[in-house]
């Protein structure tokens, strides 16, 4: 499933602030539950999130097993330039989920 990204505005006045909301589908298996046969379900979580503007990280977070399924982030940024926002979620196995949005600073 494609991550959901919502920006309160895509055209920003210079020095302006925008609110960013992200939601990604993921089970976030902690590695502490057991299946119906009593075997431990292996840990599989998203352990990192970052938001980059034109390749420079402007927001990041590390996650642990206590984060619920389908992680949601809401934060504000004050972009200095127009460009591409790249959102990246990194899984325990190194795989990544990515999404992009364009913004314009005038």
């Amino acid at each position: 499933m494609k991550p959901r990204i919502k920006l309160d505005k895509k055209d920003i006045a210079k020095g302006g602030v925008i609110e960013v909301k992200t939601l990604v589908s993921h089970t976030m298996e902690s590695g502490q539950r057991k299946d119906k046969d009593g075997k431990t379900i292996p840990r599989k979580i998203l352990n990192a999130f970052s938001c980059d503007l034109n390749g420079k990280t402007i927001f990041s977070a590390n996650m642990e097993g206590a984060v619920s399924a389908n992680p949601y982030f809401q934060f504000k940024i004050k972009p200095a330039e127009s460009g591409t926002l790249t959102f990246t979620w990194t899984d325990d196995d190194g795989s990544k989920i990515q999404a992009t949005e364009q913004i314009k600073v005038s």
Side-chain angles (χ1 to χ4, degrees):
M1 178 182 236
K2 181 180 169 185
R4 294 164 68 186
I5 310 293
K6 184 175 180 182
L7 308 175
D8 65 346
K9 51 189 158 187
K10 291 185 181 185
D11 290 333
I12 306 112
K14 190 167 184 125
V17 174
I18 61 171
E19 185 172 56
V20 179
K21 298 175 183 177
T22 70
L23 177 68
V24 66
S25 292
H26 194 279
T27 59
M28 298 294 281
E29 186 56 60
S30 69
Q32 297 183 18
R33 293 184 325 125
K34 297 192 184 301
D35 64 14
K36 64 180 179 166
D37 298 324
K39 295 180 183 174
T40 302
I41 300 170
R43 176 182 144 130
K44 182 167 174 57
I45 68 166
L46 294 172
N47 58 43
F49 169 75
S50 67
C51 174
D52 299 348
L53 176 58
N54 298 329
K56 296 179 187 174
T57 301
I58 57 175
F59 178 85
S60 66
N62 293 324
M63 295 177 270
E64 295 295 332
V67 174
S68 67
N70 308 320
Y72 170 81
F73 285 101
Q74 180 176 348
F75 55 96
K76 294 184 180 185
I77 59 173
K78 187 176 182 178
E81 60 189 3
S82 300
T84 304
L85 288 172
T86 303
F87 304 91
T88 305
W89 294 261
T90 305
D91 204 320
D92 278 340
D93 64 7
S95 63
K96 296 179 188 242
I97 301 169
Q98 286 193 315
T100 59
E101 288 285 339
Q102 298 295 318
I103 59 170
K104 182 179 177 185
V105 176
S106 52

